[in-house]
Amino acid sequence: ICMDPIMVIKMVIAEKGIKKQTVASAMHLTPQQFSDLLSGRRILRQTDVVNVCEALNITPNELYGFTETR
């Protein structure tokens, strides 16, 4: 099951109690650019994927909601 990465970002921020400004800074975005990303006014670019995964300490698979099934 593939999830919307924006929803995953919001869930991880809420679960880990991370400030959005901290994530924005780690992604090399302004708080406004990060807000635009979360609201859909900015698209999630390939470079954003790498940066947001590092900022949230998650994998790209986790970002897109892919889980290992055996």
Side-chain angles (χ1 to χ4, degrees), residues 2 10-11 18 20 24-25 30-31 36 42 48 56 59 68:
C2 183
K10 291 177 181 178
M11 287 180 355
I18 304 168
K20 291 177 185 170
S25 177
T30 66
D36 289 347
R42 173 189 168 102
D48 294 332
L56 298 176
T59 67
E68 240 183 81

Side-chain angles (χ1 to χ4, degrees), residues 7-69:
M7 292 302 299
V8 173
I9 291 169
K10 291 177 181 178
M11 287 180 355
V12 173
I13 286 172
E15 286 172 6
K16 295 188 175 188
I18 304 168
K19 291 186 179 184
K20 291 177 185 170
Q21 185 172 347
T22 302
V23 180
S25 177
M27 290 180 67
H28 311 289
L29 298 176
T30 66
Q32 183 61 53
Q33 289 171 321
F34 187 64
S35 175
D36 289 347
L37 182 71
L38 293 180
S39 67
R41 291 187 299 266
R42 173 189 168 102
I43 62 166
L44 185 66
R45 296 183 175 92
Q46 191 172 1
T47 54
D48 294 332
V49 169
V50 173
N51 291 334
V52 77
C53 286
E54 287 178 359
L56 298 176
N57 197 25
I58 61 173
T59 67
N61 280 349
E62 290 170 315
L63 178 64
Y64 286 95
F66 293 117
T67 54
E68 240 183 81
T69 55

